Amino acid sequence: MLLRLAEAQHVTIPRLLVESALASETSETPTERKRAMAELFGMHRLLAALSNNVNQIARATNATGELRAELRATLAKVRETAGRIDEAIDEMSTS
């Protein structure tokens, strides 16, 4: 069981035991916090790339007066990413 938990958290068994012993019942381990922060940073990078796409689409729309086909897909991805960020924040606040 320890091996399975350690593998799921991508840590060694000794590290799992130390983190578990030092964590209170309601707090997350440093490994879990690191993973959550990495996920948030990844979503932040994705959101930055999406905002760049939105700016390019807006620039093209302003220049031509035509809506580009990828506008709907890009805006859908923005909404999806914003939802993922909301979910991650909710998870962190309930941990």
Side-chain angles (χ1 to χ4, degrees):
M1 184 175 187
L2 287 175
L3 180 59
R4 202 171 40 242
L5 287 170
E7 287 174 351
Q9 293 187 27
H10 305 289
V11 295
T12 62
I13 291 174
R15 182 171 175 180
L16 173 74
L17 292 172
V18 168
E19 287 183 359
S20 297
L22 296 176
S24 70
E25 289 180 25
T26 59
S27 73
E28 61 202 1
T29 65
T31 299
E32 291 167 333
R33 182 173 293 277
K34 258 186 194 176
R35 188 176 305 121
M37 293 302 293
E39 178 73 14
L40 285 172
F41 282 125
M43 287 185 275
H44 183 269
R45 283 190 302 274
L46 178 59
L47 202 53
L50 288 168
S51 67
N52 185 46
N53 287 354
V54 169
N55 285 336
Q56 290 173 352
I57 292 168
R59 192 174 303 119
T61 300
N62 288 334
T64 65
E66 295 177 24
L67 290 176
R68 294 178 58 180
E70 60 267 13
L71 176 62
R72 288 190 205 292
T74 299
L75 293 178
K77 195 67 172 173
V78 168
R79 287 185 196 98
E80 176 189 325
T81 303
R84 286 178 56 204
I85 291 170
D86 288 344
E87 289 171 10
I89 290 170
D90 288 345
E91 274 185 36
M92 291 179 80
S93 66
T94 59
S95 297

